[in-house]
Amino acid sequence: MADYPAFLDSPLIWTMPLTGWIQAVSASLTFTFLPKKKEPGYTALGDVGAISYLYVVENTYFSLLLLFAWVYFSDYTFPYIRQFWPIELVFVFLVYLPIIRFQWPVSSFRDALKSNKTATKANERFYYYSTMMIKVFYIFAKHFIGFFVNYMRFLGRVGPKEQELAFGLLIGGCWGTTVALFIHTLKFKGYIGPRTGALAYEASFPWMAYYFFRLAMCMQKNWDIALVCTVAVGLNLVTIRSRPIWHVYQVIVCVVMALAVYRPEQAARVSAGIAEAFQESGNVSYSASSIHPTLGWGLEKILGSERADL
């Protein structure tokens, strides 16, 4: 960013994502004539058929998440969000719970990959790999651009460098939501071809690759939070509606981190009780990290090593 300090003090931090969300809402109210199909129909996923109206509506959900993230990382608005803790907990931890997520349509990459109606024969292989790449990017983005950076902010681990990293990632996120619909409009109007549209959508990937590299270094430094998110990725992949393993895990993470931030004394008492139970059963002394890495993270990293060594 050419003048990053001026950007931090400008209203762009909230006006830009707010405009994107309003644009998404406006599109969902306008393009009601589009087909309501499971396949997203987006230009990066195929060159046959119109974009799905469900995908347009779903875009309001992701635009809303981006809006929250922008104001959450702003030093001006973060203190106000912290005061309204139910909103903070929902957006940081629980926004993918079925009771919330299924209020919006859910695009299916699986359906896009299986369908033979989304791409012509000549472009079928191209769009298969394009869809696979976007699917992998989406899963990574959800857990590390979304949850990981929000956890950092929630736990008070965001300094100037981490804040700049978050804003860089969020700019890439805006490209994948509001700018993405503009690209599809250009393709729909015939100003660009199908492959050009797909490549234009993926043009943000080099930008994101740079910030992914910086994110990887941040993950190494904050390995405990990265571990929480990595476990979540694995559980997300095996979660189905009849077996909501990942959603239960998210609630547990929410409770543990919320106690550590909002009620540190209570969290210390709970951890002391767990440690005492282990000591009575094994009659051994240990530090918190010797019980379990996750407990070590929760006590030593969040509460402090002196309070965590029991």
Side-chain angles (χ1 to χ4, degrees):
M1 299 177 186
D3 195 349
Y4 181 67
F7 170 76
L8 289 178
D9 293 330
S10 74
L12 281 174
I13 287 182
W14 63 269
T15 58
M16 181 173 60
L18 177 60
T19 301
W21 180 71
I22 293 174
Q23 173 188 315
V25 172
S26 175
S28 68
L29 297 174
T30 303
F31 301 115
T32 55
F33 57 86
L34 292 170
K36 297 177 176 64
K37 55 182 182 178
K38 290 184 178 181
E39 301 88 357
Y42 182 67
T43 186
L45 307 178
D47 61 346
V48 175
I51 191 172
S52 172
Y53 176 69
L54 300 181
Y55 177 81
V56 175
V57 175
E58 183 183 25
N59 206 42
T60 64
Y61 170 80
F62 291 113
S63 299
L64 183 62
L65 296 190
L66 281 171
L67 173 59
F68 171 79
W70 278 100
V71 297
Y72 195 51
F73 274 86
S74 169
D75 292 332
Y76 294 105
T77 50
F78 174 73
Y80 299 102
I81 296 176
R82 177 51 56 93
Q83 291 179 10
F84 294 95
W85 59 267
I87 294 177
E88 182 179 27
L89 292 181
V90 167
F91 275 94
V92 172
F93 298 99
L94 310 175
V95 76
Y96 283 94
L97 291 185
I99 193 173
I100 298 174
R101 180 64 183 93
F102 290 156
Q103 300 302 314
W104 284 265
V106 180
S107 292
S108 174
F109 289 105
R110 185 182 295 108
D111 289 331
L113 287 169
K114 289 181 178 180
S115 177
N116 58 1
K117 300 178 182 179
T118 58
T120 58
K121 198 68 177 178
N123 289 327
E124 189 174 312
R125 189 177 185 85
F126 171 83
Y127 281 108
Y128 174 82
Y129 288 113
S130 176
T131 303
M132 285 297 297
M133 181 168 58
I134 293 171
K135 180 179 181 179
V136 172
F137 171 80
Y138 171 78
I139 294 175
F140 180 85
K142 178 166 70 173
H143 289 280
F144 292 99
I145 299 178
F147 286 114
F148 177 81
V149 294
N150 283 340
Y151 292 166
M152 292 273 294
R153 185 60 154 170
F154 184 80
L155 296 174
R157 299 192 189 182
V158 172
K161 290 184 178 179
E162 290 80 12
Q163 187 183 46
E164 182 184 357
L165 167 64
F167 285 144
L169 292 170
L170 290 174
I171 288 176
C174 289
W175 186 279
T177 52
T178 53
V179 176
L181 281 183
F182 175 71
I183 293 172
H184 188 88
T185 302
L186 293 178
K187 179 248 183 181
F188 175 75
K189 292 290 187 179
Y191 294 117
I192 59 176
R195 287 200 178 199
T196 303
L199 294 174
Y201 175 80
E202 294 159 6
S204 64
F205 287 6
W207 169 281
M208 297 302 290
Y210 166 72
Y211 281 98
F212 283 169
F213 174 74
R214 293 183 56 182
L215 179 63
M217 293 188 291
C218 186
M219 290 166 58
Q220 183 178 11
K221 181 180 178 181
N222 297 274
W223 62 267
D224 46 350
I225 302 179
L227 176 62
V228 172
C229 294
T230 302
V231 172
V233 171
L235 296 179
N236 191 178
L237 293 175
V238 298
T239 291
I240 57 178
R241 293 194 182 189
S242 60
R243 189 178 59 211
I245 305 173
W246 173 50
H247 304 304
V248 173
Y249 175 78
Q250 283 300 120
V251 173
I252 295 173
V253 170
C254 175
V255 171
V256 172
M257 290 194 182
L259 280 175
V261 171
Y262 300 143
R263 299 286 188 272
E265 293 80 9
Q266 184 176 352
R269 288 197 298 270
V270 171
S271 62
I274 295 174
E276 183 178 353
F278 271 89
Q279 283 182 329
E280 290 178 356
S281 61
N283 196 25
V284 294
S285 60
Y286 48 79
S287 67
S289 58
S290 65
I291 303 175
H292 193 279
T294 303
L295 183 58
W297 153 75
L299 303 177
E300 294 174 0
K301 291 290 183 179
I302 299 177
L303 301 178
S305 57
E306 293 182 359
R307 296 167 66 183
D309 293 330
L310 304 172

